[in-house]
Amino acid sequence: MAIRQLRYVGDPILRKTSKKVTEINERIKILLEDMVETMYEYEGVGLAAPQVGVLRRVVVIDVGEGPIKLINPKIIEKEGEVIDAEGCLSIPNRVGTVKRPEKVKVEYLDENGEKKVIEGTGLLAKALCHEIDHLDGVLFIDKMIEELVSEEDEEE
Ligand code: CO
């Protein structure tokens, strides 16, 4: 396993649409492992492949219950609305509120290629939506309602 180099806001790769994974080969499995390690190294709750420079629909999440590896994740159901604070490893020193579904159902493939469905509320719902947005080049600052912490605050 290896820690991968993070991409930061301003890097054009974060704005691109990631391609579906068509074959879960060794390369994808190593990517998943590296992404988990990178997420832990930077103390994130989730990480999407474009954040390590790979334009593939691959996401890892850990909301404190162990790592979840999602290949080709897709939101198939959403329910409710909640406005909560968000940050992103690719956008250091910025926190803002974003409106997200309260509950989501996401279909994905696990690392063995098995089709799975995960249901999330609270932090897990937020992480799923945030990370899946990354696969379409969308960042939380695009949806931000109110900025709570900005780079200027950090410099003071
Ligand atoms: Co992010």
Side-chain angles (χ1 to χ4, degrees):
M1 292 208 287
I3 292 160
R4 303 248 181 148
Q5 178 80 48
L6 276 186
R7 302 299 184 103
Y8 294 101
V9 65
D11 188 323
I13 206 156
L14 291 175
R15 292 307 192 173
K16 296 195 168 143
T17 301
S18 292
K19 288 198 179 96
K20 263 193 172 177
V21 173
T22 52
E23 186 202 351
I24 303 167
N25 52 25
E26 205 53 32
R27 209 182 156 94
I28 292 293
K29 288 182 183 177
I30 290 168
L31 172 66
L32 281 162
E33 290 296 314
D34 288 356
M35 283 172 62
V36 169
E37 199 178 342
T38 307
M39 170 176 71
Y40 291 151
E41 173 70 18
Y42 290 95
E43 296 175 5
V45 163
L47 194 68
Q51 293 182 275
V52 294
V54 179
L55 289 172
R56 289 284 163 185
R57 302 190 82 83
V58 170
V59 159
V60 297
I61 288 173
D62 189 341
V63 294
E65 294 165 1
I68 310 165
K69 300 168 182 171
L70 304 100
I71 298 166
N72 299 339
K74 195 181 162 206
I75 296 169
I76 52 169
E77 262 181 59
K78 24 183 157 178
E79 210 182 292
E81 267 178 15
V82 59
I83 294 172
D84 199 5
E86 270 181 45
C88 178
L89 292 181
S90 292
I91 312 170
N93 309 324
R94 290 184 76 182
V95 177
T97 54
V98 179
K99 191 197 283 179
R100 299 283 190 191
E102 197 173 20
K103 186 174 164 186
V104 288
K105 211 182 252 190
V106 171
E107 195 180 80
Y108 67 101
L109 297 177
D110 70 9
E111 59 194 319
N112 301 311
E114 269 177 61
K115 200 183 234 188
K116 297 222 166 144
V117 173
I118 186 169
E119 236 182 78
T121 57
L123 181 58
L124 180 56
K126 185 164 79 170
L128 285 163
C129 294
H130 177 116
E131 301 311 331
I132 292 170
D133 268 355
H134 271 298
L135 305 180
D136 294 312
V138 175
L139 302 175
F140 86 90
I141 48 173
D142 305 339
K143 299 181 166 181
M144 194 162 62
I145 297 167
E146 190 191 354
E147 183 134 31
L148 301 175
V149 178
S150 67
E151 275 173 319
E152 288 73 39
D153 297 332
E154 287 291 313
E155 282 160 14
E156 273 168 23

